[in-house]
Amino acid sequence: MPYAQFVTALEKAAPPLDTWAFELIAESGGTWDDVRAAMEDNAPHHLIRYWRLNGTQVLKLAGGTTRSMEYLIGNHVIAESMFRHDPRALLYAPLRMMVWSDEDDRAVFAMHRPSDEFGSLGNADVTKVGEMLDRYVIALLHECGVSAERDFA
């Protein structure tokens, strides 16, 4: 699909972190259950966008013409479920994703498969969460109009 269409769909499917909601929970003495509930509200497809870098703008002055966007996408409730078993899980959470345009301005999506990244830590509990994240990314891409089951097999 066209680059701009995919970026728009991805950013809709993985909305930005509602920092205000989470700051309010912390400031008002909220609990982790409040954080869980807020995350469910903020992440309709289990994943939110923590950060994005418009590579097109950053590299434009160097003469680059390829459109690109990098993202950190994840869910800190899910990250905590791995962190408690192995703090190194935060090396891979949130998930790093990239979209760029090919020569026909079609979107190309790339990321490391979560189950591979988290599985590399050698902890079965963390690996299970990585496998769940594979399914969440597949669903997120499906929400964007892309079938990715084969790529995660």
Coordinates of all heavy atoms in Angstrom, one line a residue, residues 46-116:
H46 N -3.6 -3.4 22.0 CA -2.6 -3.8 23.0 C -1.3 -3.0 22.9 O -0.4 -3.2 23.8 CB -2.2 -5.3 22.8 CG -3.4 -6.2 22.9 ND1 -4.0 -6.5 24.2 CD2 -4.1 -6.9 22.0 CE1 -5.0 -7.3 24.0 NE2 -5.1 -7.6 22.7
L47 N -1.1 -2.2 21.9 CA 0.2 -1.6 21.7 C 0.0 -0.1 21.5 O -1.0 0.4 20.9 CB 1.0 -2.1 20.5 CG 1.3 -3.6 20.6 CD1 1.8 -4.1 19.2 CD2 2.3 -3.9 21.7
I48 N 0.9 0.7 22.1 CA 0.9 2.2 21.9 C 2.2 2.6 21.3 O 3.2 1.9 21.3 CB 0.6 2.9 23.3 CG1 1.7 2.5 24.3 CG2 -0.8 2.6 23.7 CD1 1.7 3.4 25.5
R49 N 2.2 3.9 20.9 CA 3.4 4.5 20.3 C 4.1 5.4 21.4 O 3.5 6.4 21.8 CB 3.0 5.3 19.1 CG 4.0 5.8 18.2 CD 3.5 6.3 16.9 NE 2.1 6.5 16.8 CZ 1.5 7.7 16.8 NH1 2.2 8.8 17.0 NH2 0.2 7.8 16.8
Y50 N 5.3 5.0 21.7 CA 6.0 5.8 22.7 C 6.8 7.0 22.0 O 7.1 8.0 22.6 CB 7.0 5.0 23.5 CG 6.4 4.0 24.5 CD1 6.2 2.7 24.1 CD2 6.0 4.5 25.7 CE1 5.6 1.8 25.0 CE2 5.4 3.6 26.6 CZ 5.2 2.3 26.3 OH 4.6 1.4 27.1
W51 N 7.3 6.7 20.8 CA 8.2 7.6 20.2 C 8.1 7.4 18.7 O 7.8 6.3 18.2 CB 9.6 7.3 20.7 CG 10.7 8.1 20.1 CD1 11.1 9.3 20.4 CD2 11.6 7.6 19.1 NE1 12.2 9.6 19.6 CE2 12.5 8.6 18.8 CE3 11.7 6.4 18.3 CZ2 13.6 8.4 17.9 CZ3 12.7 6.2 17.4 CH2 13.6 7.3 17.2
R52 N 8.4 8.5 17.9 CA 8.6 8.3 16.5 C 9.6 9.3 16.0 O 9.7 10.4 16.5 CB 7.2 8.4 15.7 CG 7.0 9.8 15.2 CD 5.7 9.8 14.4 NE 5.5 11.3 14.3 CZ 4.5 11.8 13.6 NH1 3.6 11.0 13.0 NH2 4.4 13.1 13.5
L53 N 10.3 8.9 15.0 CA 11.3 9.8 14.4 C 11.1 9.8 12.9 O 11.0 8.8 12.2 CB 12.7 9.2 14.6 CG 13.9 10.0 13.9 CD1 14.0 11.4 14.5 CD2 15.2 9.2 14.1
N54 N 10.8 11.0 12.4 CA 10.6 11.2 11.0 C 12.0 11.3 10.3 O 12.6 12.3 10.2 CB 9.8 12.5 10.7 CG 9.4 12.7 9.3 OD1 10.1 12.2 8.4 ND2 8.3 13.4 9.1
G55 N 12.4 10.1 9.8 CA 13.7 10.1 9.1 C 13.8 10.9 7.9 O 14.9 11.4 7.5
T56 N 12.6 11.1 7.2 CA 12.6 11.9 6.0 C 13.1 13.3 6.3 O 13.9 13.9 5.6 CB 11.1 12.0 5.5 OG1 10.6 10.7 5.4 CG2 11.1 12.8 4.2
Q57 N 12.6 13.9 7.4 CA 13.0 15.3 7.8 C 14.4 15.3 8.3 O 15.2 16.2 8.0 CB 12.0 15.8 8.9 CG 10.6 16.0 8.4 CD 10.5 17.0 7.2 OE1 11.2 18.0 7.2 NE2 9.8 16.6 6.2
V58 N 14.8 14.3 9.1 CA 16.1 14.3 9.7 C 17.2 14.2 8.6 O 18.3 14.8 8.7 CB 16.3 13.1 10.7 CG1 17.7 13.0 11.2 CG2 15.3 13.4 11.9
L59 N 17.0 13.4 7.6 CA 18.0 13.2 6.6 C 17.8 14.0 5.3 O 18.7 13.9 4.4 CB 18.0 11.7 6.2 CG 18.3 10.8 7.5 CD1 18.1 9.3 7.1 CD2 19.7 11.1 8.0
K60 N 16.8 14.8 5.2 CA 16.5 15.6 4.0 C 17.7 16.4 3.6 O 18.0 16.5 2.4 CB 15.3 16.4 4.2 CG 14.9 17.3 3.0 CD 13.5 17.9 3.1 CE 13.3 18.7 4.4 NZ 12.0 19.4 4.4
L61 N 18.3 17.1 4.5 CA 19.4 18.0 4.2 C 20.7 17.3 3.7 O 21.5 17.9 3.1 CB 19.8 18.9 5.3 CG 18.6 19.9 5.7 CD1 19.0 20.7 6.9 CD2 18.3 20.8 4.5
A62 N 20.7 16.0 3.9 CA 21.8 15.2 3.4 C 21.6 14.7 2.0 O 22.4 14.0 1.4 CB 22.1 14.0 4.3
G63 N 20.4 15.1 1.4 CA 20.0 14.7 0.1 C 19.2 13.5 0.0 O 18.9 13.0 -1.1
G64 N 18.8 12.9 1.1 CA 18.0 11.7 1.1 C 16.6 12.0 0.6 O 16.0 13.1 0.8
T65 N 16.1 11.1 -0.2 CA 14.7 11.2 -0.7 C 13.8 10.1 -0.3 O 12.6 10.2 -0.5 CB 14.7 11.2 -2.3 OG1 15.4 10.0 -2.7 CG2 15.5 12.5 -2.8
T66 N 14.3 9.1 0.4 CA 13.5 8.0 0.8 C 12.7 8.4 2.0 O 13.2 9.0 3.0 CB 14.4 6.8 1.2 OG1 15.1 6.3 0.1 CG2 13.5 5.6 1.7
R67 N 11.4 8.2 2.0 CA 10.6 8.6 3.1 C 10.7 7.5 4.2 O 10.7 6.3 3.8 CB 9.1 8.7 2.6 CG 9.0 9.8 1.6 CD 7.6 9.8 0.9 NE 6.6 10.3 1.8 CZ 5.3 10.2 1.6 NH1 4.9 9.7 0.4 NH2 4.4 10.7 2.5
S68 N 10.8 7.9 5.4 CA 10.9 6.9 6.5 C 10.4 7.4 7.8 O 10.4 8.6 8.1 CB 12.4 6.4 6.6 OG 13.2 7.5 7.1
M69 N 10.0 6.5 8.6 CA 9.5 6.7 10.0 C 10.0 5.6 10.9 O 9.8 4.4 10.5 CB 8.0 6.9 10.0 CG 7.4 7.6 11.1 SD 7.7 9.4 11.1 CE 6.5 9.9 9.9
E70 N 10.6 5.9 12.0 CA 11.0 4.9 13.0 C 10.1 5.1 14.2 O 9.7 6.2 14.5 CB 12.4 5.1 13.4 CG 13.4 4.8 12.4 CD 14.8 5.1 12.9 OE1 15.3 4.4 13.8 OE2 15.4 6.1 12.4
Y71 N 9.8 3.9 14.8 CA 8.9 3.9 16.0 C 9.4 3.1 17.1 O 10.1 2.1 16.9 CB 7.5 3.3 15.6 CG 6.8 4.1 14.5 CD1 6.9 3.7 13.2 CD2 6.0 5.2 14.8 CE1 6.2 4.3 12.2 CE2 5.3 5.8 13.9 CZ 5.4 5.4 12.5 OH 4.7 6.1 11.6
L72 N 9.1 3.5 18.4 CA 9.1 2.6 19.5 C 7.7 2.3 19.9 O 7.0 3.3 20.3 CB 9.9 3.2 20.6 CG 11.4 3.4 20.4 CD1 12.1 4.1 21.6 CD2 12.1 2.1 20.1
I73 N 7.3 1.1 19.8 CA 5.9 0.7 20.0 C 5.8 -0.4 21.1 O 6.6 -1.4 21.0 CB 5.2 0.3 18.7 CG1 5.0 1.6 17.8 CG2 3.8 -0.4 19.0 CD1 4.4 1.3 16.5
G74 N 5.0 -0.3 22.0 CA 4.9 -1.4 23.0 C 3.8 -1.1 24.0 O 2.8 -0.5 23.7
N75 N 4.0 -1.7 25.2 CA 3.0 -1.6 26.3 C 3.7 -1.8 27.6 O 4.3 -2.9 27.8 CB 1.9 -2.7 26.0 CG 0.8 -2.7 27.1 OD1 1.1 -2.6 28.3 ND2 -0.4 -2.9 26.6
H76 N 3.8 -0.8 28.5 CA 4.6 -1.0 29.7 C 4.0 -2.0 30.7 O 4.8 -2.5 31.5 CB 5.0 0.3 30.3 CG 3.9 1.3 30.5 ND1 3.5 2.2 29.5 CD2 3.1 1.6 31.5 CE1 2.5 2.9 29.9 NE2 2.2 2.6 31.2
V77 N 2.8 -2.3 30.6 CA 2.2 -3.4 31.4 C 2.8 -4.7 30.9 O 3.2 -5.6 31.7 CB 0.7 -3.4 31.4 CG1 0.1 -4.6 32.1 CG2 0.2 -2.1 32.0
I78 N 2.8 -4.9 29.6 CA 3.4 -6.1 29.1 C 4.9 -6.2 29.4 O 5.5 -7.2 29.8 CB 3.2 -6.2 27.6 CG1 1.7 -6.4 27.3 CG2 4.0 -7.4 26.9 CD1 1.3 -6.2 25.8
A79 N 5.6 -5.1 29.2 CA 7.0 -5.0 29.5 C 7.3 -5.4 31.0 O 8.3 -6.2 31.2 CB 7.6 -3.6 29.2
E80 N 6.5 -5.0 31.9 CA 6.7 -5.3 33.3 C 6.5 -6.8 33.5 O 7.2 -7.4 34.3 CB 5.7 -4.5 34.2 CG 5.9 -4.7 35.7 CD 5.4 -6.0 36.3 OE1 4.4 -6.6 35.8 OE2 6.1 -6.6 37.2
S81 N 5.7 -7.5 32.7 CA 5.5 -8.9 32.9 C 6.7 -9.7 32.5 O 6.9 -10.8 32.9 CB 4.2 -9.4 32.1 OG 4.5 -9.4 30.7
M82 N 7.6 -9.1 31.7 CA 8.9 -9.7 31.4 C 10.0 -9.2 32.3 O 10.8 -10.0 32.7 CB 9.3 -9.4 29.9 CG 8.3 -10.0 28.9 SD 8.8 -9.6 27.2 CE 8.4 -7.9 27.1
F83 N 10.0 -8.0 32.7 CA 11.0 -7.4 33.5 C 11.1 -8.1 34.8 O 12.2 -8.3 35.3 CB 10.7 -5.9 33.7 CG 11.6 -5.1 34.6 CD1 12.8 -4.7 34.0 CD2 11.4 -4.9 35.9 CE1 13.8 -4.0 34.8 CE2 12.3 -4.2 36.7 CZ 13.5 -3.8 36.1
R84 N 10.0 -8.5 35.4 CA 10.0 -9.2 36.7 C 10.7 -10.5 36.6 O 11.3 -11.0 37.6 CB 8.6 -9.4 37.2 CG 7.8 -10.5 36.5 CD 6.4 -10.7 37.2 NE 5.5 -9.7 36.8 CZ 4.3 -10.0 36.4 NH1 3.9 -11.3 36.3 NH2 3.4 -9.1 36.0
H85 N 10.8 -11.1 35.4 CA 11.5 -12.4 35.2 C 13.0 -12.1 34.8 O 13.9 -12.9 35.1 CB 10.9 -13.2 34.2 CG 9.5 -13.6 34.6 ND1 9.2 -14.5 35.6 CD2 8.3 -13.3 34.1 CE1 7.9 -14.7 35.7 NE2 7.3 -13.9 34.8
D86 N 13.2 -11.0 34.1 CA 14.6 -10.7 33.6 C 14.6 -9.3 33.2 O 14.1 -8.9 32.1 CB 14.9 -11.6 32.4 CG 16.4 -11.5 32.0 OD1 17.0 -10.5 32.3 OD2 16.9 -12.5 31.4
P87 N 15.3 -8.4 33.9 CA 15.4 -7.0 33.6 C 15.9 -6.7 32.2 O 15.6 -5.7 31.6 CB 16.3 -6.4 34.7 CG 16.1 -7.4 35.9 CD 15.9 -8.7 35.2
R88 N 16.7 -7.6 31.7 CA 17.3 -7.4 30.4 C 16.2 -7.4 29.3 O 16.5 -6.9 28.2 CB 18.3 -8.6 30.0 CG 19.5 -8.6 30.9 CD 20.4 -9.8 30.5 NE 19.6 -11.0 30.7 CZ 20.0 -12.2 30.2 NH1 21.1 -12.3 29.4 NH2 19.2 -13.3 30.4
A89 N 15.0 -7.8 29.6 CA 13.9 -7.7 28.6 C 13.7 -6.2 28.1 O 13.3 -6.0 27.0 CB 12.6 -8.2 29.2
L90 N 14.1 -5.3 28.9 CA 13.9 -3.9 28.5 C 14.9 -3.5 27.4 O 14.8 -2.4 26.9 CB 14.0 -2.9 29.7 CG 12.8 -3.1 30.7 CD1 12.9 -2.0 31.8 CD2 11.5 -3.0 30.0
L91 N 15.9 -4.3 27.1 CA 16.7 -4.1 26.0 C 15.9 -4.1 24.7 O 16.3 -3.5 23.7 CB 17.8 -5.2 25.9 CG 18.9 -5.1 26.9 CD1 19.8 -6.4 26.9 CD2 19.8 -3.9 26.7
Y92 N 14.8 -4.9 24.7 CA 14.0 -5.1 23.5 C 12.6 -4.5 23.6 O 11.8 -4.6 22.7 CB 14.0 -6.6 23.2 CG 15.3 -7.2 23.1 CD1 15.7 -8.2 24.0 CD2 16.3 -6.8 22.2 CE1 16.9 -8.8 24.0 CE2 17.5 -7.4 22.2 CZ 17.9 -8.3 23.1 OH 19.1 -8.9 23.0
A93 N 12.3 -3.9 24.7 CA 11.0 -3.3 24.9 C 11.1 -1.8 25.2 O 11.9 -1.5 26.1 CB 10.2 -4.0 26.0
P94 N 10.4 -1.0 24.5 CA 9.4 -1.3 23.5 C 10.1 -1.8 22.2 O 11.3 -1.7 22.0 CB 8.7 0.1 23.3 CG 9.6 1.1 23.9 CD 10.5 0.5 24.9
L95 N 9.2 -2.2 21.3 CA 9.6 -2.8 20.1 C 10.0 -1.7 19.1 O 9.3 -0.7 19.0 CB 8.5 -3.6 19.4 CG 7.9 -4.7 20.3 CD1 6.6 -5.2 19.7 CD2 8.9 -5.8 20.6
R96 N 11.1 -1.9 18.4 CA 11.6 -0.9 17.4 C 11.0 -1.3 16.1 O 11.2 -2.5 15.6 CB 13.1 -0.8 17.4 CG 13.6 0.3 16.5 CD 15.0 0.5 16.7 NE 15.5 1.6 15.9 CZ 16.7 2.1 15.9 NH1 17.6 1.5 16.6 NH2 17.0 3.1 15.1
M97 N 10.4 -0.4 15.4 CA 9.8 -0.7 14.1 C 10.2 0.5 13.1 O 10.4 1.6 13.5 CB 8.2 -0.7 14.1 CG 7.7 -1.7 15.1 SD 5.9 -1.7 15.2 CE 5.6 -3.0 16.4
M98 N 10.3 0.1 11.8 CA 10.6 1.1 10.8 C 9.7 0.9 9.6 O 9.4 -0.2 9.2 CB 12.1 1.0 10.4 CG 12.5 2.1 9.5 SD 14.2 2.1 9.2 CE 14.3 3.3 7.9
V99 N 9.3 2.0 9.0 CA 8.6 2.0 7.7 C 9.3 2.9 6.8 O 9.8 4.0 7.2 CB 7.2 2.5 7.9 CG1 6.4 2.5 6.6 CG2 6.4 1.8 9.0
W100 N 9.5 2.5 5.6 CA 10.1 3.4 4.6 C 9.4 3.2 3.2 O 8.7 2.2 3.1 CB 11.6 3.2 4.4 CG 12.1 1.9 3.9 CD1 12.4 1.6 2.5 CD2 12.4 0.7 4.5 NE1 12.8 0.4 2.4 CE2 12.8 -0.3 3.6 CE3 12.3 0.3 5.9 CZ2 13.1 -1.6 3.9 CZ3 12.6 -1.0 6.2 CH2 13.0 -1.9 5.3
S101 N 9.7 4.1 2.3 CA 9.0 4.0 1.0 C 10.0 3.4 0.0 O 11.2 3.7 0.0 CB 8.6 5.4 0.5 OG 9.7 6.2 0.4
D102 N 9.4 2.5 -0.8 CA 10.3 1.9 -1.9 C 10.3 2.9 -3.1 O 9.7 4.0 -3.0 CB 9.8 0.5 -2.3 CG 8.5 0.4 -2.9 OD1 7.9 1.5 -3.3 OD2 8.0 -0.7 -3.1
E103 N 10.8 2.5 -4.2 CA 10.9 3.4 -5.4 C 9.6 3.7 -6.0 O 9.4 4.7 -6.7 CB 11.8 2.8 -6.5 CG 11.4 1.4 -7.0 CD 11.8 0.3 -6.1 OE1 12.6 0.4 -5.2 OE2 11.3 -0.8 -6.4
D104 N 8.5 3.0 -5.6 CA 7.2 3.3 -6.1 C 6.3 3.9 -5.0 O 5.1 3.9 -5.1 CB 6.5 2.0 -6.6 CG 7.2 1.4 -7.8 OD1 7.6 2.2 -8.7 OD2 7.4 0.2 -7.9
D105 N 6.9 4.4 -4.0 CA 6.3 5.0 -2.8 C 5.3 4.1 -2.1 O 4.4 4.5 -1.5 CB 5.6 6.3 -3.2 CG 5.3 7.2 -2.0 OD1 6.2 7.3 -1.1 OD2 4.2 7.8 -1.9
R106 N 5.7 2.8 -2.1 CA 4.9 1.8 -1.3 C 5.6 1.6 0.0 O 6.8 1.7 0.1 CB 4.9 0.4 -2.1 CG 4.0 0.5 -3.3 CD 4.1 -0.9 -4.0 NE 5.5 -1.2 -4.3 CZ 5.9 -2.0 -5.2 NH1 5.1 -2.6 -6.0 NH2 7.2 -2.2 -5.4
A107 N 4.8 1.3 1.0 CA 5.4 1.1 2.4 C 6.1 -0.2 2.5 O 5.7 -1.2 2.0 CB 4.3 1.2 3.4
V108 N 7.3 -0.1 3.1 CA 8.0 -1.3 3.5 C 8.2 -1.3 5.0 O 8.6 -0.3 5.6 CB 9.4 -1.3 2.8 CG1 10.2 -2.6 3.2 CG2 9.3 -1.2 1.3
F109 N 7.8 -2.3 5.7 CA 7.8 -2.4 7.2 C 8.9 -3.4 7.6 O 9.0 -4.5 7.0 CB 6.4 -2.9 7.6 CG 6.3 -3.1 9.1 CD1 6.0 -2.1 10.0 CD2 6.6 -4.4 9.7 CE1 6.0 -2.3 11.4 CE2 6.5 -4.6 11.0 CZ 6.2 -3.6 11.9
A110 N 9.6 -3.0 8.6 CA 10.6 -3.9 9.2 C 10.7 -3.8 10.7 O 10.5 -2.8 11.3 CB 12.0 -3.6 8.6
M111 N 11.0 -5.0 11.3 CA 11.2 -5.0 12.7 C 11.9 -6.4 13.0 O 11.8 -7.3 12.2 CB 10.0 -4.9 13.5 CG 9.0 -6.0 13.4 SD 7.5 -5.9 14.5 CE 8.2 -6.0 16.1
H112 N 12.4 -6.6 14.2 CA 12.9 -7.9 14.6 C 11.7 -8.6 15.3 O 10.9 -7.9 16.0 CB 14.0 -7.8 15.6 CG 15.3 -7.3 15.0 ND1 16.2 -6.6 15.7 CD2 15.8 -7.4 13.8 CE1 17.2 -6.3 15.0 NE2 17.0 -6.8 13.8
R113 N 11.5 -9.8 15.0 CA 10.4 -10.6 15.6 C 10.6 -10.6 17.1 O 11.6 -11.0 17.6 CB 10.4 -12.0 15.0 CG 9.2 -12.8 15.4 CD 9.0 -14.1 14.6 NE 10.3 -14.7 14.4 CZ 10.4 -15.7 13.5 NH1 9.4 -16.1 12.8 NH2 11.6 -16.2 13.3
P114 N 9.5 -10.2 17.9 CA 9.6 -10.2 19.3 C 10.0 -11.5 19.9 O 10.8 -11.5 20.9 CB 8.2 -9.7 19.8 CG 7.7 -8.9 18.6 CD 8.2 -9.6 17.4
S115 N 9.5 -12.6 19.4 CA 9.8 -13.9 20.1 C 11.3 -14.2 19.9 O 11.9 -14.9 20.8 CB 8.9 -15.0 19.5 OG 9.1 -15.1 18.1
D116 N 11.9 -13.8 18.8 CA 13.3 -14.0 18.6 C 14.1 -13.1 19.6 O 15.1 -13.6 20.3 CB 13.8 -13.6 17.2 CG 13.3 -14.6 16.2 OD1 12.8 -15.7 16.6 OD2 13.3 -14.3 15.0

